Amino acid sequence: MSSFNRRSFLVATGAAASALAMPAISFGQNKPRVVVIGGGAGGATAARYIAKDSKGEIDVTLIEASKQYYTCFFSNLYLGGFRDYASIGHSYDGLAVNHGVNVVHDWAMSVDGAGKTVALASGASLPYDKLVLSPGIDMKYDSIAGYSVEAQDTMPHGWKSGSQVQLIKAQVENMKEGGTFLMVPPPNPYRCPPGPYERISMIAHILKQKIQRQKSL
Ligand SMILES: Cc1cc2nc3c(=O)[nH]c(=O)nc-3n(C[C@H](O)[C@H](O)[C@H](O)COP(=O)(O)OP(=O)(O)OC[C@H]3O[C@@H](n4cnc5c(N)ncnc54)[C@H](O)[C@@H]3O)c2cc1C
């Protein structure tokens, strides 16, 4: 999974250019419609249980940008070499097949609360009766002078899983002798209070193994 935000989604899909050509998407027209924006741990769980507990009486649509969700939880075990990358990735197939959730891989651009529709980057729009917003966090890139969407590919922020964690792992594993690793835990409250401490322990573990390997050469 590459690092994702609204801008990279639009560039990758060419969605802005095709916006005018797209029709409205309509699922389950005779049933109450719930639309969930964001298929992370929060949104996917909401979609799953609304679909399951309503026993098919509510039409549930999940809008999620990525086809594969890489969890933050367990990502530090991947970092330390205790789990493989594939084990922290999850597809949306189970939600569709086992629970009848309509999974739409698209970027929700805006919500019209009065008209009860969600506009998608592809240009389509989705009507709803109830809306669940679960888009997780995003970066304020310009809150740090010099930081940007592009800079995250050389100086990972690590707040999201997927390519950000892969990059941290590769950088630590390839660190040259005498290199410096700098990590800045943010002030509370933040996404995962133990996260930075788990992460730094795993990084120490990688570096210790690296030094032991070098000594034994
Ligand atoms: C390093 C680290 C370790 C962690 N470890 C743990 C742990 O061990 N246990 C634990 O309980 N928690 C842990 N957490 C916290 C946990 O990962 C988050 O609380 C959880 O991911 C929040 O889920 P969410 O669904 O709100 O957001 P997210 O998981 O961020 O999911 C949001 C989803 O919404 C999608 N999205 C966003 N905007 C749009 C849009 N406009 N259109 C379409 N899709 C959109 C994104 O693509 C994404 O898939 C950890 C966090 C970090 C950073």
Side-chain angles (χ1 to χ4, degrees):
M1 187 181 81
S2 59
S3 300
F4 229 71
N5 61 21
R6 176 175 169 274
R7 197 171 77 183
S8 58
F9 184 87
L10 289 173
V11 170
T13 59
S18 60
L20 293 174
M22 297 296 291
I25 299 176
S26 214
F27 295 110
Q29 288 161 25
N30 301 319
K31 297 179 187 174
R33 291 164 301 197
V34 172
V35 169
V36 180
I37 298 178
T45 304
R48 176 190 163 141
Y49 282 96
I50 295 167
K52 183 170 169 282
D53 293 349
S54 73
K55 299 186 172 39
E57 288 186 10
I58 296 177
D59 188 75
V60 182
T61 300
L62 176 69
I63 306 169
E64 164 56 45
S66 304
K67 295 208 165 148
Q68 194 79 354
Y69 177 68
Y70 287 90
T71 59
C72 283
F73 24 93
F74 302 127
S75 64
N76 286 327
L77 290 177
Y78 157 66
L79 187 61
F82 295 96
R83 285 183 80 127
D84 64 24
Y85 187 60
S87 77
I88 61 168
H90 302 270
S91 82
Y92 292 89
D93 297 348
L95 277 183
V97 173
N98 302 329
H99 301 290
V101 174
N102 310 305
V103 179
V104 175
H105 289 296
D106 208 326
W107 184 261
M109 299 286 286
S110 62
V111 174
D112 173 355
K116 295 201 165 182
T117 55
V118 180
L120 304 179
S122 60
S125 78
L126 265 176
Y128 64 82
D129 297 301
K130 296 283 180 194
L131 180 68
V132 178
L133 284 175
S134 186
I137 57 161
D138 210 350
M139 306 299 122
K140 288 182 179 168
Y141 291 96
D142 57 2
S143 66
I144 299 172
Y147 203 56
S148 62
V149 178
E150 293 72 30
Q152 74 184 0
D153 292 336
T154 43
M155 194 180 281
H157 52 69
W159 281 94
K160 294 188 180 183
S161 190
S163 60
Q164 283 287 294
V165 186
Q166 283 185 304
L167 183 56
I168 295 170
K169 187 172 168 68
Q171 288 184 342
V172 176
E173 286 176 348
N174 295 319
M175 192 185 279
K176 300 229 163 30
E177 202 179 331
T180 303
F181 181 87
L182 179 68
M183 191 169 90
V184 186
N188 262 317
Y190 59 90
R191 205 169 201 206
C192 181
Y197 309 100
E198 285 173 4
R199 184 159 282 177
I200 204 72
S201 308
M202 290 293 127
I203 287 163
H205 174 73
I206 304 174
L207 293 176
K208 188 174 164 193
Q209 282 188 324
K210 222 170 128 76
I211 291 165
Q212 279 167 348
R213 271 201 303 273
Q214 280 163 356
K215 278 188 180 161
S216 65
L217 287 178

